[in-house]
Every structure is written in C-alpha cells, then in structure tokens.
Amino acid sequence: MQIDKLRGRELDQLFQSILSLKDLEECYRFFDDLCTINEIQSLAQRLEVARMLRDGNTYHKIETETGASTATISRVKRCLNYGNDAYIMALDRVKANQSESSS
C-alpha cells in the first residue's frame, strides 16, 4: 500500500493537527496559515473533480466547470478507480452531514 511510504512523525503530526480542528472556521484559519491560496484551491479542486466524476460528468464538463486539466482529472479518476476509496468516503460523509443538518 502506498500510504505506508508516507507514514512518519511529521505527517502524523500534520494529520493529528487537522483532526484536532473543531469547526470550519478553525479549518480556514489553519489552512490559511499552512498553505498558499493556490495549494488550498488545488486540493479543493481535486475533491470537486472527484465529486463530479462520481456523479458521471464528462471530462469536458469537469474541465469547463472546475478549470482542472485533463491530467488532474485523469489522476483523480485513477484514485477513484484504484485508490484507497478515500475520496468516496469523504464525499459520502460530507453528503450525509449536509443531509443531517438540513433535516
């Protein structure tokens, strides 16, 4: 598994820090300090590409709506098909949380 290649004290510290954040406002503050605007937008774009691919959108529509390159779309699609199912897990949880808060 590729994840094992990433493991280490510094990455554990990063992920523990992210898990310690209490709400959306703390996430905005933390990521604003941690990343550049372009890095944050790139991460958000990949998640949106994953959502759109899962919903059956074409590369052309995804490219037009997100501005993502076909290389980025292909990489995200490869992760969706052969990755760790983390995009799907996260998207499903966000969707469930949105459903709960709108009820």
Side-chain angles (χ1 to χ4, degrees):
M1 186 181 275
Q2 260 188 342
I3 292 174
D4 292 332
K5 294 178 190 175
L6 292 173
R7 291 193 193 280
R9 184 189 60 76
E10 290 176 352
L11 207 50
D12 285 353
Q13 177 180 260
L14 171 64
F15 292 150
Q16 288 296 330
S17 297
I18 293 168
L19 289 170
S20 77
L21 301 172
K22 293 181 176 77
D23 56 28
L24 206 53
E25 184 59 34
E26 285 189 4
C27 286
Y28 274 102
R29 291 174 44 211
F30 180 75
F31 280 93
D32 185 46
D33 284 352
L34 181 68
C35 302
T36 67
I37 296 295
N38 287 341
E39 289 168 335
I40 296 167
Q41 289 172 333
S42 180
L43 294 170
Q45 181 188 64
R46 289 180 191 169
L47 188 59
E48 178 61 5
V49 166
R51 186 195 64 76
M52 291 182 76
L53 282 168
R54 187 179 72 164
D55 290 349
N57 290 281
T58 64
Y59 272 43
H60 177 71
K61 182 170 183 173
I62 295 168
E63 209 175 351
T64 302
E65 288 191 17
T66 67
S69 67
T70 55
T72 296
I73 298 167
S74 294
R75 184 186 182 289
V76 171
K77 185 174 184 175
R78 195 167 43 253
C79 288
L80 285 171
N81 292 333
Y82 306 109
N84 299 301
D85 296 328
Y87 276 123
I88 299 302
M89 174 187 65
L91 289 167
D92 285 348
R93 288 180 182 172
V94 167
K95 191 174 186 177
N97 288 341
Q98 289 171 341
S99 295
E100 287 174 10
S101 58
S102 66
S103 323

